[in-house]
Amino acid sequence: MKPILIVANLKSNKTKNEAEKWLEEMSRIKNLPNLSNKKIVVCPPFTLLDFFNSYILNHEIPIELGAQNISRLPEGAYTGEINGAQIREFAKYTIVGHSERRSGFGEDESIVEEKVKMSIDYNLIPILCVQNENNTIPNGVSIVVYEPVFAIGTGESDDPQNAEDIAKKIKTSAKVEQVLYGGSVTSGNVKGFTQKENLSGVLVGGASLEALEFIKIIENV
Ligand code: PGA
């Protein structure tokens, strides 16, 4: 069985109380069969990273953590930024290059590249989101997520065969270990993607907000 990576991107959602309920429900995954080839990475908002970290350690939930963003700058006088050293206290991964950051927060390819470098410098594993096979994949990236913009948050996922073809192109053009698919993934369509030869996981946004649906996704992979 190939290793499968399932990433939840909670985006700008959940208060601490809501997060606690979500984690309580998520603790059921401890009893799921066939978890051995599945790695689950959850990316909560920065404000909840510490809480998530303590909760999963105390309750022994098999989840790893990621941040949704990273400052392109080191520590210092950069109001409002969260740097790699601060993230590394709680998380192992960081999402870089999400289309919502590219389109809504002016992150161009050079900023994405700086953020990848910063992640690696701080010993974080970048999960690089690309919108098509032409986006730059900087050196040192081993996990890429193909996320077509039309599929994000729309309920209209890409065709699994198209995602597979793009994953193959990405793998031939860059030295990456895993290509995931993201965009309107649900418990109903996840298998169509993960059974493809060149796809080794999914990045889930909206459908991860309900723990029970996210657990179904993990089961159905
Ligand atoms: P979605 O989001 O699952 O809600 O489409 C995916 C993403 O933005 O990464």
Side-chain angles (χ1 to χ4, degrees):
M1 272 192 293
K2 66 180 175 186
I4 296 278
L5 182 58
I6 305 158
V7 183
N9 175 10
L10 300 183
K11 305 194 181 181
S12 187
N13 292 292
K14 303 226 181 277
T15 59
K16 196 170 167 188
N17 276 342
E18 290 165 349
E20 188 164 13
K21 287 197 192 99
W22 190 90
L23 283 161
E24 262 167 39
E25 292 186 325
M26 279 300 289
S27 63
R28 294 191 198 177
I29 64 170
K30 287 196 272 191
N31 306 319
L32 288 186
N34 309 325
L35 261 195
S36 58
N37 67 324
K38 299 175 191 175
K39 186 181 280 185
I40 301 151
V41 174
V42 177
C43 305
F46 285 128
T47 50
L48 294 172
L49 271 179
D50 188 4
F51 177 66
F52 264 73
N53 186 45
S54 310
Y55 196 102
I56 59 179
L57 288 176
N58 290 339
H59 295 79
E60 296 180 351
I61 307 178
I63 283 177
E64 293 187 292
L65 295 180
Q68 297 173 20
N69 189 17
I70 179 172
S71 175
R72 67 187 174 85
L73 299 161
E75 60 195 12
Y78 307 112
T79 303
E81 290 295 293
I82 310 284
N83 69 60
Q86 294 169 315
I87 296 169
R88 194 67 190 89
E89 287 192 296
F90 308 112
K92 197 171 155 188
Y93 298 82
T94 180
I95 297 175
V96 178
H98 192 283
S99 63
E100 286 158 9
R101 302 237 29 110
R102 294 183 195 246
S103 66
F105 301 90
E107 294 193 8
D108 59 15
E109 294 281 53
S110 77
I111 293 177
V112 169
E113 214 162 315
E114 285 179 286
K115 290 189 169 195
V116 164
K117 189 178 173 313
M118 217 23 109
S119 309
I120 294 168
D121 286 354
Y122 281 106
N123 244 331
L124 290 156
I125 301 171
I127 299 175
L128 177 74
C129 297
V130 301
Q131 288 68 55
N132 55 60
E133 68 273 36
N134 301 320
N135 284 132
T136 308
I137 299 176
N139 284 341
V141 169
S142 62
I143 303 170
V144 171
V145 193
Y146 161 58
E147 294 209 308
V149 173
F150 74 83
I152 295 184
T154 60
E156 240 189 87
S157 57
D158 201 350
D159 169 42
Q161 187 54 48
N162 188 53
E164 161 72 1
D165 293 345
I166 292 192
K168 200 168 176 188
K169 282 187 198 157
I170 290 171
K171 278 192 172 171
T172 31
S173 70
K175 262 200 184 158
V176 302
E177 278 164 35
Q178 289 185 296
V179 180
L180 320 184
Y181 167 76
S184 297
V185 171
T186 64
S187 58
N189 64 20
V190 65
K191 185 87 185 168
F193 294 100
T194 52
Q195 68 189 6
K196 294 289 181 199
E197 190 186 337
N198 288 285
L199 287 169
S200 37
V202 284
L203 192 155
V204 188
S208 68
L209 294 176
E210 292 293 333
L212 298 184
E213 167 65 2
F214 188 51
I215 293 171
K216 271 195 213 154
I217 289 175
I218 296 166
E219 284 179 299
N220 291 355
V221 150

